[in-house]
C-alpha cells in the first residue's frame, strides 16, 4: 500500500512531547516508519517534499528526514510532473488548502497513494474520494488488521 507523508508528519518528534496527543502521534509515526523500512508500506515522496524539507532551518532535522526519504522512497513525483501537479493543486486550493499542502496532496493522488498521513489539523479538514487524509494514529487504527 502506498502512503505519502507530509512535512508536519516528519517533524512530529521535534514537537513538544509533553502533550499526550503529540506523544502518541510521535509513537505512531515511528511505527509507520518501521513498516516502511520493513517494506510493508510503500513510501511516496515528491519535489515539494524535498523543497519544503530544504527550507528547514535545523540542519540535523533536515538531514535525518532527507536520509529517511532518500533511503526508503519507493516512488517519486519529480519536477518533470510539476505542471500536472500544480494544475491538480489549483483545484485543491479552491477548497482553502495552501499551495504547498495542495502540491503534497496532488503528488500523493498522482502517485496512486491510498493514504496521505499528516498531523496538520487544518490540512486534514480537506477530504476527497481520491485519497484518505489521516493522522498517524488514525492510519494505524484503520490499517492495523489489514
Amino acid at each position: 500500500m502506498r502512503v505519502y507523508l507530509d512535512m508536519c508528519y516528519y517533524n512530529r518528534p521535534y514537537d513538544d512531547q509533553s502533550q499526550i496527543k503529540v506523544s502518541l502521534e510521535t509513537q505512531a509515526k515511528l511505527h509507520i516508519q518501521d513498516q516502511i523500512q520493513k517494506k510493508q508500506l510503500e513510501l511516496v515522496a515528491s519535489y515539494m517534499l524535498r523543497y519544503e524539507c530544504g527550507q528547514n532551518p535545523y540542519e540535523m532535522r533536515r538531514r535525518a528526514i532527507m536520509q529517511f526519504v532518500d533511503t526508503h522512497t519507493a516512488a517519486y513525483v519529480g519536477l518533470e510532473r510539476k505542471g500536472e501537479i500544480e494544475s491538480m493543486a489549483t483545484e485543491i486550493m479552491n477548497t482553502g488548502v495552501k499551495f504547498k499542502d495542495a502540491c503534497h496532496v496532488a503528488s500523493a493522488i498522482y502517485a496512486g497513494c491510498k493514504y496521505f498521513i499528516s498531523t496538520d489539523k487544518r490540512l486534514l479538514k480537506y477530504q476527497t474520494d481520491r485519497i484518505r487524509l489521516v493522522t498517524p494514529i488514525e492510519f494505524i487504527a484503520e490499517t492495523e488488521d489489514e
Side-chain angles (χ1 to χ4, degrees):
M1 169 187 344
R2 283 189 169 186
V3 297
Y4 189 101
L5 317 171
D6 76 347
M7 283 309 298
C8 288
Y9 166 93
Y10 283 110
N11 282 309
R12 186 48 103 196
Y14 306 112
D15 294 333
D16 179 3
Q17 298 296 308
S18 67
Q19 298 177 43
I20 190 70
K21 179 181 180 244
V22 172
S23 180
L24 289 171
E25 286 179 343
T26 297
Q27 291 305 308
K29 174 211 183 274
L30 296 173
H31 177 74
I32 293 165
Q33 286 188 196
D34 186 55
Q35 289 180 305
I36 290 167
Q37 290 171 323
K38 292 177 179 173
K39 310 263 188 252
Q40 296 167 339
L41 297 171
E42 286 185 37
L43 178 64
V44 172
S46 71
Y47 70 91
M48 185 54 73
L49 185 75
R50 283 185 118 22
Y51 169 77
E52 203 169 356
C53 188
Q55 301 300 302
N56 190 327
Y58 302 100
E59 184 179 349
M60 182 207 71
R61 296 176 189 183
R62 187 174 60 241
R63 272 201 217 152
I65 293 166
M66 285 317 306
Q67 181 178 10
F68 182 85
V69 170
D70 289 343
T71 303
H72 300 289
T73 295
Y76 184 75
V77 179
L79 274 170
E80 70 278 359
R81 300 285 179 234
K82 185 178 180 184
E84 295 164 82
I85 297 305
E86 291 185 6
S87 176
M88 197 184 307
T90 300
E91 177 186 322
I92 296 167
M93 288 168 53
N94 289 336
T95 68
V97 175
K98 293 186 276 182
F99 175 72
K100 287 188 274 187
D101 291 335
C103 287
H104 286 299
V105 174
S107 295
I109 292 169
Y110 180 86
C113 293
K114 186 172 180 180
Y115 284 93
F116 183 97
I117 307 171
S118 177
T119 60
D120 184 335
K121 289 183 217 175
R122 190 167 160 210
L123 176 57
L124 290 167
K125 290 178 184 177
Y126 173 73
Q127 294 298 314
T128 177
D129 59 355
R130 296 183 289 177
I131 193 168
R132 180 99 170 90
L133 281 76
V134 295
T135 68
I137 296 168
E138 290 169 333
F139 176 79
I140 290 173
E142 289 184 19
T143 62
E144 201 167 44
D145 297 328
E146 286 186 8

